[in-house]
Amino acid sequence: MSNSSRDNLAHSGDADLDAMFERLVRDHSPRLMAIARAIVGRRFSPEDVVQQAFANLYEHRERYDWSEPMPLLRRAVVNEALRLLRRPPMSPIDSVQVGEDASPDGRVLQSETVEQVRRAIDQLPDHFKAALVLCEYERMSYPEIAQELGITLQQTKTWIFRARRQLEHKLAEFVRDGRSVK
Amino acid sequence: MLSDQDIELLETYLDKALDGELAQRVEQRLAQEPELAAELARLQEARELRMQLWQSYEPSAESAERIIAGLRKREARRAWFWRILDYRERIAAAAACIAVFLIGWQWGRNANAYRMVPAGGTTSQPVSLITQHQVPSQHGDVYEVRLTDADGKLVRTERFDNLQDAQSFINELKGQLVRGRNR
């Protein structure tokens, strides 16, 4: 981001959103929505999570260094998602609303296996989900994840490893249950 | 049968979090141990499934536009709120003026409450000050009670031969004053 763009972002006081900020939303929201969806599952709308994260950042935009926006945006989304999950559970939102059936090319997820993976991931503890999605989807290193989540390196490794083991057990359960139903 | 440590090692290898030497050792083992290589393939497959799922969460461009629209709406609301705050300052100033007016009006009403008719007197002008003076005369000292209105203008003067009479007159006036205020 150029210096002038950064200045624009930091000092725009108009009711209209800054053009640079709008571009940030357009460029990064798909990935951020996926991260949010992976963490909040069906308990909250990922769109609301991302919008709130952007709103928080926009309100205090002069405080941040916008030269590297993605880590900042990602952290805001992860924090917002985990903050929401700490609230008392609400009824699951409509799955169509979260956009999981409306992927970019309009394809519909029909794979039973992927659906089982989704169910298994949704049942993981929230912090495990956050660590796993940052590791595998965002391809962040362990130290980066530790910094992002505010935990130790050892904790990060433990969470990711346990998340994978728990997923395996869940999937094995689903397969077993599926067979016994048949 | 692979141990948990082996699986963790493979996961760490896939995360590219092993240092060079350790990664090389894993690669050597993979070349020699088919079971380990099969496990690696299985883990990779599981990751691909997860990646497929996460990628399916990436929304359409419409979603970004909805977020922008939502942010614009919030920003407009925020701007409106700040405008209201400006109005609130104006409202507060107007409220202060009204408060000052009301206090002044109430004070004026209280001052008017001193309006009275002295016993046996003929005036009904408001009295705001009653003073008592000792005045020398040819027949010795007399005591004078002066009634003054709000502008300081002398309304009435009463003379008494002794202090006791002057004071009982003042007390009577005060009594009337209180009764007049209560009326």
Side-chain angles (χ1 to χ4, degrees):
Chain A
M1 196 183 289
S2 69
N3 279 342
S4 60
S5 323
R6 234 175 293 157
D7 288 348
N8 274 347
L9 202 56
H11 301 299
S12 162
D14 300 338
D16 282 339
L17 280 186
D18 189 286
M20 286 305 297
F21 203 80
E22 283 192 18
R23 213 176 72 192
L24 282 182
V25 178
R26 283 197 186 92
D27 290 351
H28 298 286
S29 62
R31 283 192 81 78
L32 295 170
M33 289 267 286
I35 295 170
R37 171 68 178 86
I39 298 173
V40 298
R42 293 182 173 195
R43 284 172 60 190
F44 296 96
S45 154
E47 206 169 287
D48 288 350
V49 173
V50 172
Q51 188 174 304
Q52 186 58 53
F54 270 118
N56 294 343
L57 289 172
Y58 190 73
E59 198 177 333
H60 306 291
R61 57 198 178 280
E62 70 284 350
R63 289 187 198 165
Y64 304 109
D65 174 15
W66 292 94
S67 50
E68 284 285 334
M70 188 52 188
L72 191 62
L73 297 171
R74 189 172 46 216
R75 180 173 294 192
V77 166
V78 170
N79 286 344
E80 181 59 23
L82 293 175
R83 187 190 70 78
L84 279 177
L85 290 169
R86 280 195 290 270
R87 284 169 31 176
M90 297 167 75
S91 55
I93 55 163
D94 182 3
S95 60
V96 176
Q97 211 183 328
V98 303
E100 74 172 29
D101 296 331
S103 36
D105 51 1
R107 70 178 183 271
V108 178
L109 273 184
Q110 288 173 334
S111 158
E112 196 186 332
T113 321
V114 174
E115 176 56 22
Q116 284 177 343
V117 172
R118 186 195 63 72
R119 279 170 56 205
I121 289 178
D122 281 354
Q123 288 176 25
L124 285 178
D126 302 328
H127 51 288
F128 283 12
K129 276 188 273 187
L132 193 64
V133 75
L134 293 177
C135 178
E136 293 185 1
Y137 178 67
E138 283 296 283
R139 298 188 194 281
M140 289 169 73
S141 67
Y142 295 159
E144 284 171 336
I145 298 167
Q147 202 187 357
E148 184 99 0
L149 298 178
I151 53 174
T152 63
L153 189 60
Q154 188 51 48
Q155 241 177 329
T156 306
K157 290 179 189 171
T158 307
W159 286 8
I160 293 170
F161 186 70
R162 283 190 187 165
R164 285 167 176 154
R165 291 291 71 75
Q166 284 189 20
L167 277 181
E168 247 178 57
H169 290 138
K170 296 261 181 232
L171 286 169
E173 270 175 36
F174 292 156
V175 170
R176 213 171 36 235
D177 293 349
R179 273 188 203 141
S180 64
V181 167
K182 284 169 194 169
Chain B
M1 179 76 180
L2 292 172
S3 66
D4 269 358
Q5 282 77 14
D6 284 334
I7 296 170
E8 194 172 355
L9 189 70
L10 289 177
E11 294 279 23
T12 317
Y13 173 74
L14 287 174
D15 288 338
K16 297 183 174 34
L18 291 180
D19 61 41
E21 196 185 330
L22 208 51
Q24 264 185 345
R25 279 227 298 270
V26 171
E27 281 159 10
Q28 281 169 2
R29 277 188 66 191
L30 284 168
Q32 292 159 1
E33 299 175 36
E35 197 187 1
L36 197 70
E39 182 63 19
L40 185 78
R42 198 183 63 79
L43 294 176
Q44 259 173 329
E45 197 185 335
R47 280 171 187 238
E48 277 160 22
L49 275 177
R50 289 196 288 268
M51 186 55 101
Q52 201 183 325
L53 174 75
W54 284 321
Q55 280 170 347
S56 78
Y57 291 159
E58 290 177 10
S60 59
E62 286 164 22
S63 186
E65 294 308 318
R66 275 201 303 273
I67 291 175
I68 290 171
L71 288 169
R72 279 192 186 136
K73 218 180 274 179
R74 276 166 186 254
E75 194 55 23
R77 265 204 308 267
R78 214 164 65 92
W80 181 83
F81 174 76
W82 285 110
R83 268 204 305 276
I84 284 294
L85 260 196
D86 290 345
Y87 280 123
R88 278 173 62 183
E89 280 168 14
R90 288 178 212 163
I91 289 165
C97 289
I98 291 168
V100 167
F101 170 77
L102 286 175
I103 290 167
W105 181 66
Q106 186 64 26
W107 184 81
R109 255 186 75 189
N110 287 342
N112 283 344
Y114 286 87
R115 191 180 295 277
M116 53 163 283
V117 182
T122 54
T123 180
S124 64
Q125 278 181 280
V127 173
S128 64
L129 191 66
I130 303 168
T131 53
Q132 179 188 295
H133 305 269
Q134 194 173 357
V135 184
S137 75
Q138 290 175 345
H139 311 289
D141 285 354
V142 292
Y143 295 88
E144 202 172 84
V145 176
R146 294 175 192 163
L147 309 183
T148 319
D149 68 7
D151 298 329
K153 194 175 145 195
L154 192 65
V155 175
R156 185 170 168 171
T157 305
E158 287 288 332
R159 287 193 168 193
F160 299 93
D161 294 335
N162 56 63
L163 182 61
Q164 205 181 348
D165 287 349
Q167 280 180 338
S168 65
F169 176 71
I170 289 171
N171 289 340
E172 194 189 337
L173 276 180
K174 281 183 180 170
Q176 286 188 28
L177 195 89
V178 171
R179 281 195 297 277
R181 215 183 296 171
N182 290 342
R183 220 178 285 142

Coordinates of all heavy atoms in Angstrom, one line a residue, chain B residues 59-137:
Chain B
P59 N -16.8 -17.2 0.1 CA -18.1 -16.8 -0.4 C -18.0 -16.1 -1.8 O -16.9 -15.9 -2.3 CB -18.6 -15.7 0.6 CG -17.4 -15.1 1.1 CD -16.3 -16.2 1.1
S60 N -19.1 -15.8 -2.4 CA -19.1 -15.1 -3.7 C -18.8 -13.6 -3.5 O -18.7 -13.1 -2.3 CB -20.5 -15.2 -4.3 OG -21.4 -14.6 -3.4
A61 N -18.5 -12.9 -4.6 CA -18.2 -11.5 -4.5 C -19.3 -10.7 -3.9 O -19.1 -9.6 -3.3 CB -17.8 -11.0 -5.9
E62 N -20.5 -11.2 -4.1 CA -21.7 -10.5 -3.5 C -21.6 -10.3 -2.0 O -22.0 -9.3 -1.4 CB -23.0 -11.3 -3.8 CG -23.5 -11.2 -5.2 CD -24.5 -12.3 -5.5 OE1 -25.1 -12.8 -4.5 OE2 -24.6 -12.7 -6.6
S63 N -20.9 -11.3 -1.4 CA -20.8 -11.2 0.1 C -19.9 -10.0 0.5 O -20.2 -9.3 1.4 CB -20.2 -12.5 0.5 OG -20.2 -12.5 1.9
A64 N -18.8 -9.8 -0.3 CA -18.0 -8.6 0.0 C -18.8 -7.3 -0.2 O -18.6 -6.4 0.6 CB -16.8 -8.6 -0.9
E65 N -19.6 -7.3 -1.2 CA -20.4 -6.1 -1.4 C -21.4 -5.9 -0.3 O -21.7 -4.8 0.1 CB -21.2 -6.2 -2.7 CG -20.2 -6.2 -4.0 CD -19.2 -5.0 -4.0 OE1 -19.6 -3.9 -3.6 OE2 -18.1 -5.2 -4.3
R66 N -21.9 -7.0 0.3 CA -22.9 -6.9 1.4 C -22.1 -6.4 2.6 O -22.7 -5.5 3.4 CB -23.5 -8.3 1.7 CG -24.7 -8.6 0.9 CD -25.6 -9.6 1.6 NE -24.8 -10.9 1.8 CZ -24.7 -11.9 1.0 NH1 -25.3 -11.8 -0.2 NH2 -24.0 -13.0 1.3
I67 N -20.9 -6.8 2.8 CA -20.1 -6.3 3.9 C -19.8 -4.8 3.8 O -20.0 -4.1 4.7 CB -18.8 -7.1 4.1 CG1 -19.1 -8.6 4.5 CG2 -17.8 -6.5 5.0 CD1 -17.9 -9.5 4.5
I68 N -19.5 -4.4 2.6 CA -19.2 -3.0 2.3 C -20.5 -2.2 2.6 O -20.4 -1.1 3.2 CB -18.7 -2.8 0.9 CG1 -17.3 -3.4 0.8 CG2 -18.7 -1.3 0.5 CD1 -16.7 -3.4 -0.6
A69 N -21.6 -2.7 2.1 CA -22.9 -2.0 2.3 C -23.1 -1.8 3.8 O -23.5 -0.8 4.3 CB -24.0 -2.7 1.6
G70 N -22.9 -2.9 4.5 CA -23.1 -2.9 6.0 C -22.2 -1.9 6.7 O -22.6 -1.2 7.6
L71 N -20.9 -1.9 6.2 CA -20.0 -1.0 6.8 C -20.4 0.5 6.5 O -20.2 1.4 7.4 CB -18.6 -1.2 6.3 CG -17.9 -2.5 6.8 CD1 -16.6 -2.8 6.0 CD2 -17.6 -2.4 8.3
R72 N -20.8 0.7 5.3 CA -21.3 2.1 5.0 C -22.4 2.5 5.8 O -22.5 3.6 6.3 CB -21.7 2.1 3.5 CG -20.6 2.2 2.5 CD -21.1 2.5 1.1 NE -20.1 2.5 0.2 CZ -20.2 1.9 -1.0 NH1 -21.3 1.3 -1.4 NH2 -19.2 1.9 -1.8
K73 N -23.4 1.6 6.1 CA -24.5 1.9 6.9 C -24.1 2.2 8.3 O -24.5 3.2 8.9 CB -25.4 0.7 6.9 CG -26.9 1.0 6.9 CD -27.8 -0.2 6.9 CE -28.1 -0.7 5.5 NZ -28.9 -1.9 5.5
R74 N -23.1 1.4 8.8 CA -22.6 1.7 10.2 C -22.0 3.0 10.3 O -22.1 3.8 11.2 CB -21.5 0.6 10.5 CG -22.0 -0.7 11.1 CD -20.9 -1.6 11.0 NE -21.3 -3.0 11.4 CZ -21.0 -3.5 12.6 NH1 -20.3 -2.9 13.5 NH2 -21.5 -4.7 12.8
E75 N -21.2 3.3 9.2 CA -20.4 4.6 9.2 C -21.4 5.8 9.2 O -21.2 6.8 9.8 CB -19.5 4.6 8.0 CG -18.4 5.7 8.1 CD -17.6 5.6 9.3 OE1 -17.5 4.6 10.0 OE2 -17.0 6.7 9.7
A76 N -22.5 5.6 8.4 CA -23.5 6.7 8.3 C -24.2 6.9 9.6 O -24.4 8.0 10.0 CB -24.5 6.3 7.2
R77 N -24.4 5.7 10.3 CA -25.1 5.8 11.6 C -24.2 6.5 12.6 O -24.6 7.3 13.4 CB -25.4 4.4 12.1 CG -26.8 3.9 11.8 CD -27.2 2.9 12.8 NE -26.3 1.8 12.9 CZ -26.4 0.6 12.2 NH1 -27.3 0.5 11.4 NH2 -25.5 -0.3 12.4
R78 N -22.9 6.2 12.5 CA -21.9 6.8 13.4 C -21.8 8.3 13.2 O -21.8 9.1 14.1 CB -20.5 6.1 13.2 CG -19.7 6.0 14.4 CD -18.6 5.0 14.2 NE -17.6 5.5 13.2 CZ -16.5 6.2 13.5 NH1 -16.3 6.5 14.7 NH2 -15.7 6.6 12.6
A79 N -21.8 8.7 11.9 CA -21.7 10.1 11.5 C -23.0 10.8 12.1 O -22.9 11.9 12.6 CB -21.6 10.3 10.0
W80 N -24.1 10.2 11.9 CA -25.4 10.7 12.4 C -25.3 10.9 13.9 O -25.7 11.9 14.4 CB -26.5 9.8 12.0 CG -27.9 10.3 12.4 CD1 -28.7 11.2 11.7 CD2 -28.6 9.9 13.6 NE1 -29.8 11.4 12.4 CE2 -29.8 10.6 13.5 CE3 -28.3 9.0 14.6 CZ2 -30.8 10.4 14.5 CZ3 -29.3 8.9 15.6 CH2 -30.5 9.6 15.6
F81 N -24.7 9.9 14.6 CA -24.6 10.0 16.0 C -23.8 11.2 16.4 O -24.2 11.9 17.4 CB -24.0 8.7 16.5 CG -23.7 8.7 18.0 CD1 -24.7 8.6 19.0 CD2 -22.4 8.9 18.5 CE1 -24.4 8.6 20.3 CE2 -22.1 8.9 19.8 CZ -23.1 8.8 20.7
W82 N -22.7 11.4 15.7 CA -21.8 12.6 16.1 C -22.5 13.9 15.8 O -22.4 14.9 16.5 CB -20.5 12.5 15.3 CG -19.6 11.4 16.0 CD1 -19.3 10.2 15.4 CD2 -19.0 11.5 17.3 NE1 -18.5 9.5 16.3 CE2 -18.4 10.2 17.5 CE3 -19.0 12.4 18.3 CZ2 -17.7 9.9 18.6 CZ3 -18.3 12.1 19.5 CH2 -17.7 10.9 19.6
R83 N -23.3 13.9 14.7 CA -24.1 15.1 14.4 C -25.1 15.4 15.5 O -25.3 16.5 16.0 CB -24.9 15.0 13.1 CG -24.1 15.5 11.9 CD -25.0 15.9 10.8 NE -25.9 14.8 10.4 CZ -25.6 13.8 9.5 NH1 -24.4 13.7 9.0 NH2 -26.5 12.9 9.2
I84 N -25.7 14.3 16.0 CA -26.7 14.4 17.1 C -26.0 15.0 18.3 O -26.5 15.8 19.0 CB -27.3 13.0 17.4 CG1 -28.4 12.7 16.4 CG2 -28.0 13.0 18.8 CD1 -29.6 13.6 16.4
L85 N -24.7 14.5 18.5 CA -24.0 15.0 19.7 C -23.8 16.5 19.6 O -23.9 17.2 20.6 CB -22.6 14.3 19.8 CG -22.5 13.2 20.7 CD1 -21.0 12.9 21.0 CD2 -23.1 13.5 22.1
D86 N -23.5 17.0 18.4 CA -23.4 18.5 18.2 C -24.7 19.1 18.6 O -24.7 20.1 19.3 CB -23.1 18.8 16.7 CG -21.7 18.4 16.4 OD1 -20.9 18.1 17.3 OD2 -21.3 18.3 15.2
Y87 N -25.8 18.5 18.1 CA -27.1 19.1 18.4 C -27.3 19.1 19.9 O -27.9 20.0 20.5 CB -28.2 18.3 17.7 CG -28.4 18.6 16.3 CD1 -28.3 17.7 15.3 CD2 -28.7 20.0 15.9 CE1 -28.5 18.0 14.0 CE2 -28.9 20.3 14.6 CZ -28.8 19.3 13.6 OH -28.9 19.7 12.3
R88 N -26.8 18.0 20.5 CA -27.0 17.9 22.0 C -26.3 19.0 22.7 O -26.8 19.5 23.7 CB -26.5 16.5 22.5 CG -27.5 15.4 22.2 CD -26.9 14.1 22.6 NE -26.6 13.9 23.9 CZ -26.0 12.9 24.5 NH1 -25.7 11.8 23.7 NH2 -25.7 12.8 25.7
E89 N -25.2 19.4 22.2 CA -24.5 20.6 22.8 C -25.4 21.8 22.7 O -25.5 22.5 23.7 CB -23.2 20.8 22.2 CG -22.1 19.8 22.6 CD -20.9 19.9 21.8 OE1 -20.7 20.8 21.0 OE2 -20.0 19.0 21.9
R90 N -26.0 22.0 21.6 CA -26.9 23.1 21.4 C -28.1 23.0 22.3 O -28.5 24.0 23.0 CB -27.4 23.2 19.9 CG -26.3 23.6 19.0 CD -26.8 23.7 17.6 NE -25.7 23.3 16.7 CZ -25.8 23.0 15.4 NH1 -27.0 22.8 14.9 NH2 -24.8 22.7 14.7
I91 N -28.6 21.8 22.4 CA -29.8 21.6 23.3 C -29.4 21.9 24.7 O -30.1 22.5 25.5 CB -30.3 20.1 23.1 CG1 -31.0 20.0 21.7 CG2 -31.3 19.8 24.2 CD1 -31.2 18.6 21.3
A92 N -28.2 21.5 25.1 CA -27.7 21.7 26.5 C -27.6 23.2 26.7 O -28.0 23.6 27.8 CB -26.4 21.0 26.7
A93 N -27.1 24.0 25.8 CA -27.0 25.4 26.0 C -28.4 26.0 26.1 O -28.6 26.9 27.0 CB -26.3 26.0 24.8
A94 N -29.3 25.6 25.3 CA -30.7 26.1 25.4 C -31.3 25.8 26.7 O -32.0 26.6 27.4 CB -31.6 25.5 24.3
A95 N -31.1 24.5 27.2 CA -31.6 24.1 28.5 C -31.0 24.9 29.6 O -31.7 25.3 30.6 CB -31.3 22.6 28.7
A96 N -29.7 25.3 29.5 CA -29.1 26.1 30.5 C -29.7 27.5 30.6 O -30.0 28.0 31.6 CB -27.6 26.2 30.2
C97 N -30.0 28.1 29.4 CA -30.7 29.4 29.3 C -32.1 29.3 30.0 O -32.4 30.2 30.8 CB -30.9 29.8 27.9 SG -29.3 30.3 27.1
I98 N -32.8 28.2 29.7 CA -34.1 28.1 30.3 C -34.0 27.9 31.8 O -34.8 28.5 32.6 CB -34.8 26.8 29.7 CG1 -35.2 27.1 28.2 CG2 -36.1 26.5 30.5 CD1 -35.6 25.9 27.4
A99 N -33.0 27.2 32.2 CA -32.8 27.0 33.7 C -32.5 28.3 34.4 O -33.0 28.6 35.4 CB -31.6 26.0 33.9
V100 N -31.6 29.1 33.7 CA -31.3 30.4 34.3 C -32.5 31.3 34.4 O -32.8 32.0 35.4 CB -30.2 31.1 33.4 CG1 -30.0 32.6 33.8 CG2 -28.9 30.4 33.6
F101 N -33.4 31.3 33.3 CA -34.6 32.1 33.3 C -35.5 31.6 34.4 O -36.1 32.4 35.2 CB -35.3 31.9 31.9 CG -36.7 32.4 31.9 CD1 -36.9 33.8 31.8 CD2 -37.8 31.6 32.0 CE1 -38.1 34.3 31.8 CE2 -39.1 32.1 32.0 CZ -39.2 33.5 31.8
L102 N -35.7 30.3 34.6 CA -36.6 29.8 35.6 C -36.1 30.1 37.0 O -36.9 30.5 37.9 CB -36.7 28.2 35.5 CG -37.5 27.7 34.3 CD1 -37.5 26.2 34.2 CD2 -39.0 28.2 34.5
I103 N -34.8 30.0 37.2 CA -34.2 30.4 38.5 C -34.5 31.9 38.8 O -34.9 32.3 39.9 CB -32.7 30.1 38.6 CG1 -32.5 28.5 38.6 CG2 -32.1 30.7 39.8 CD1 -31.1 28.1 38.4
G104 N -34.3 32.7 37.8 CA -34.5 34.2 38.0 C -36.0 34.5 38.2 O -36.3 35.3 39.1
W105 N -36.8 33.8 37.5 CA -38.3 34.0 37.7 C -38.7 33.6 39.1 O -39.4 34.3 39.8 CB -39.0 33.1 36.6 CG -40.5 33.3 36.6 CD1 -41.2 34.4 36.4 CD2 -41.4 32.3 37.0 NE1 -42.5 34.2 36.5 CE2 -42.7 32.9 36.9 CE3 -41.3 30.9 37.4 CZ2 -43.8 32.1 37.1 CZ3 -42.5 30.2 37.6 CH2 -43.7 30.8 37.5
Q106 N -38.2 32.4 39.5 CA -38.5 31.9 40.9 C -38.0 32.9 42.0 O -38.7 33.2 42.9 CB -37.9 30.5 41.1 CG -38.3 29.8 42.4 CD -39.8 29.5 42.4 OE1 -40.4 29.4 41.4 NE2 -40.3 29.5 43.6
W107 N -36.8 33.4 41.7 CA -36.2 34.4 42.7 C -37.1 35.6 42.7 O -37.4 36.2 43.8 CB -34.8 34.7 42.2 CG -34.1 35.6 43.1 CD1 -33.5 35.3 44.3 CD2 -33.9 37.0 43.0 NE1 -32.9 36.4 44.9 CE2 -33.2 37.5 44.1 CE3 -34.3 38.0 42.1 CZ2 -32.8 38.8 44.3 CZ3 -34.0 39.3 42.2 CH2 -33.2 39.7 43.3
G108 N -37.6 36.1 41.5 CA -38.4 37.3 41.5 C -39.7 37.0 42.2 O -40.2 37.9 42.9
R109 N -40.3 35.8 42.1 CA -41.5 35.5 42.8 C -41.3 35.6 44.3 O -42.2 36.1 45.0 CB -41.9 34.1 42.4 CG -43.1 34.0 41.4 CD -43.5 32.6 41.2 NE -44.3 32.1 42.3 CZ -44.7 30.9 42.5 NH1 -44.3 30.0 41.6 NH2 -45.4 30.5 43.5
N110 N -40.2 35.1 44.7 CA -39.9 35.1 46.2 C -39.8 36.5 46.7 O -40.3 36.9 47.7 CB -38.6 34.3 46.5 CG -38.9 32.8 46.4 OD1 -40.0 32.4 46.4 ND2 -37.8 32.1 46.2
A111 N -39.2 37.4 45.8 CA -39.0 38.8 46.2 C -40.4 39.4 46.3 O -40.7 40.2 47.2 CB -38.2 39.5 45.2
N112 N -41.3 39.1 45.4 CA -42.6 39.7 45.4 C -43.4 39.2 46.6 O -44.4 39.9 47.0 CB -43.4 39.3 44.1 CG -42.9 40.1 43.0 OD1 -42.3 41.1 43.2 ND2 -43.2 39.7 41.8
A113 N -43.0 38.1 47.2 CA -43.7 37.6 48.4 C -43.6 38.6 49.5 O -44.3 38.5 50.5 CB -43.2 36.3 48.8
Y114 N -42.7 39.5 49.5 CA -42.5 40.5 50.6 C -43.5 41.6 50.5 O -43.5 42.5 51.3 CB -41.1 41.1 50.5 CG -40.0 40.1 51.0 CD1 -39.5 39.2 50.2 CD2 -39.7 40.0 52.4 CE1 -38.5 38.2 50.6 CE2 -38.7 39.1 52.8 CZ -38.2 38.2 51.9 OH -37.3 37.3 52.4
R115 N -44.3 41.6 49.5 CA -45.3 42.6 49.3 C -46.3 42.5 50.6 O -46.7 41.4 50.9 CB -46.1 42.3 48.1 CG -47.0 43.4 47.7 CD -47.7 43.0 46.4 NE -46.8 42.8 45.3 CZ -46.4 43.9 44.5 NH1 -46.8 45.1 44.8 NH2 -45.6 43.7 43.5
M116 N -46.5 43.5 51.2 CA -47.3 43.5 52.4 C -48.0 44.8 52.7 O -47.6 45.8 52.2 CB -46.4 43.1 53.6 CG -45.2 44.0 53.7 SD -44.4 43.9 55.3 CE -45.5 44.9 56.2
V117 N -48.9 44.7 53.6 CA -49.5 45.9 54.1 C -49.2 46.1 55.6 O -49.7 45.2 56.4 CB -51.1 45.9 53.9 CG1 -51.7 47.2 54.3 CG2 -51.4 45.6 52.4
P118 N -48.5 47.1 55.9 CA -48.1 47.2 57.4 C -49.4 47.5 58.2 O -50.3 48.1 57.7 CB -47.2 48.4 57.4 CG -46.8 48.6 56.0 CD -47.8 48.1 55.1
A119 N -49.4 47.0 59.4 CA -50.6 47.2 60.3 C -50.9 48.7 60.4 O -50.1 49.5 60.7 CB -50.3 46.7 61.7
G120 N -52.2 48.9 60.1 CA -52.6 50.3 60.2 C -52.1 51.2 59.1 O -52.4 52.4 59.1
G121 N -51.4 50.7 58.2 CA -50.7 51.5 57.2 C -51.6 51.7 56.0 O -52.6 51.1 55.9
T122 N -51.1 52.4 55.0 CA -51.9 52.7 53.8 C -51.2 52.2 52.6 O -51.7 52.3 51.5 CB -52.2 54.2 53.7 OG1 -50.9 54.9 53.7 CG2 -53.1 54.7 54.7
T123 N -50.0 51.7 52.8 CA -49.2 51.3 51.6 C -49.3 49.8 51.4 O -49.4 49.1 52.3 CB -47.8 51.8 51.7 OG1 -47.1 51.4 50.5 CG2 -47.1 51.2 52.9
S124 N -49.3 49.5 50.1 CA -49.2 48.0 49.8 C -48.0 47.8 48.9 O -47.9 46.8 48.2 CB -50.5 47.5 49.1 OG -50.6 48.2 47.9
Q125 N -47.0 48.7 49.0 CA -45.8 48.6 48.2 C -45.0 47.4 48.7 O -44.9 47.2 49.9 CB -45.0 49.9 48.2 CG -45.6 50.9 47.2 CD -44.8 52.2 47.3 OE1 -45.0 53.0 48.2 NE2 -43.9 52.3 46.3
P126 N -44.3 46.8 47.9 CA -43.4 45.7 48.4 C -42.3 46.2 49.3 O -41.7 47.2 49.0 CB -42.8 45.1 47.1 CG -43.0 46.2 46.1 CD -44.1 47.0 46.5
V127 N -42.1 45.4 50.3 CA -41.0 45.8 51.2 C -39.9 44.8 51.2 O -40.2 43.6 51.2 CB -41.6 45.9 52.7 CG1 -40.5 46.1 53.7 CG2 -42.6 47.0 52.8
S128 N -38.7 45.2 50.9 CA -37.7 44.2 50.9 C -36.7 44.4 52.0 O -35.8 43.5 52.2 CB -37.0 44.2 49.5 OG -36.4 45.5 49.3
L129 N -36.7 45.5 52.7 CA -35.8 45.7 53.7 C -36.4 46.5 54.9 O -37.1 47.4 54.7 CB -34.6 46.5 53.2 CG -33.4 46.6 54.1 CD1 -32.7 45.3 54.3 CD2 -32.4 47.6 53.5
I130 N -36.2 46.0 56.1 CA -36.7 46.6 57.3 C -35.5 47.0 58.1 O -34.7 46.1 58.5 CB -37.6 45.7 58.1 CG1 -38.8 45.3 57.2 CG2 -38.2 46.5 59.3 CD1 -39.6 44.2 57.8
T131 N -35.3 48.2 58.4 CA -34.1 48.6 59.2 C -34.5 49.3 60.4 O -35.6 50.0 60.4 CB -33.1 49.4 58.4 OG1 -33.8 50.5 57.9 CG2 -32.4 48.6 57.3
Q132 N -33.7 49.3 61.5 CA -34.1 49.9 62.7 C -32.9 50.9 63.1 O -31.8 50.5 63.0 CB -34.2 48.9 63.8 CG -34.5 49.4 65.1 CD -34.5 48.2 66.2 OE1 -35.2 47.3 66.1 NE2 -33.5 48.3 67.1
H133 N -33.3 52.1 63.3 CA -32.2 53.1 63.6 C -32.5 53.9 64.9 O -33.7 54.1 65.3 CB -32.2 54.2 62.5 CG -32.0 53.6 61.1 ND1 -30.8 53.4 60.6 CD2 -33.0 53.1 60.3 CE1 -31.0 52.8 59.4 NE2 -32.3 52.6 59.2
Q134 N -31.5 54.2 65.6 CA -31.6 55.1 66.8 C -31.3 56.5 66.4 O -30.2 56.8 65.9 CB -30.6 54.6 67.8 CG -30.9 55.1 69.2 CD -30.0 54.5 70.3 OE1 -29.1 53.7 70.0 NE2 -30.1 55.0 71.5
V135 N -32.3 57.4 66.5 CA -32.2 58.7 66.0 C -32.3 59.7 67.2 O -33.2 59.7 68.0 CB -33.3 59.1 65.0 CG1 -33.2 60.4 64.4 CG2 -33.4 58.0 63.9
P136 N -31.3 60.6 67.4 CA -31.3 61.6 68.5 C -32.4 62.7 68.2 O -32.5 63.0 67.0 CB -29.9 62.2 68.5 CG -29.3 61.7 67.3 CD -30.1 60.7 66.6
S137 N -33.1 63.1 69.1 CA -34.1 64.2 69.0 C -34.1 65.1 70.2 O -33.4 64.8 71.2 CB -35.5 63.6 68.7 OG -36.0 63.1 69.9

